[in-house]
Amino acid sequence: MGVSRSTLVHDIRNQLSAMLMLVTLLERTELPDDVSAYLSVAGTGFRSVLDEPDLATTSHHDLDSALSALLQGLEALETEQISDQLVHLCQDAVSRVPSTREMWAELAQ
């Protein structure tokens, strides 16, 4: 693995770790069933990638579905249901999705 590839793996892991922390916080909050279901799918996908010791083979991970589930869950979430601090963390997570998708696609090349 070259320097740029290892940096890419590191950056992806950082992004997913941040998003997984948010999912974990939200899982501890009483939320509507549809939001919880989306977040569960996202969390499972993020954990799967983060638990992978070597991301050299990315083809067996469906990170795009996990990222989409996160976005769907956050879009379905009413901001009144969570604290202001969590609202800001949700906004941060949404802003991370495009760059994470780009890095994941680059890693898969």
Side-chain angles (χ1 to χ4, degrees):
M1 181 179 280
V3 173
S4 63
R5 187 164 175 86
S6 67
T7 300
L8 191 58
V9 167
H10 177 75
D11 290 346
I12 290 169
R13 288 186 186 280
N14 281 344
Q15 295 284 24
L16 295 180
S17 292
M19 288 185 265
L20 182 57
M21 284 189 272
L22 171 64
V23 168
T24 301
L25 286 171
L26 290 172
E27 286 175 333
R28 296 178 184 160
T29 305
E30 191 168 326
L31 299 172
D33 290 343
D34 61 332
V35 174
S36 294
Y38 286 127
L39 295 177
S40 178
V41 169
T44 299
F46 298 158
R47 286 180 189 96
S48 174
V49 173
L50 290 169
D51 288 344
E52 182 72 41
D54 180 15
L55 287 181
T57 305
T58 60
S59 61
H60 64 281
H61 294 290
D62 189 4
L63 184 58
D64 191 54
S65 290
L67 292 168
S68 293
L70 175 69
L71 291 175
Q72 289 173 312
L74 296 180
E75 286 173 6
L77 183 63
E78 299 290 331
T79 56
E80 299 81 32
Q81 297 169 324
I82 58 175
S83 70
D84 289 341
Q85 183 181 16
L86 284 176
V87 169
H88 293 295
L89 292 174
C90 290
Q91 292 166 344
D92 179 62
V94 168
S95 71
R96 291 174 183 269
V97 170
S99 62
T100 303
R101 281 190 168 135
E102 288 174 20
M103 288 185 287
W104 188 253
E106 187 176 334
L107 185 64
Q109 293 178 355

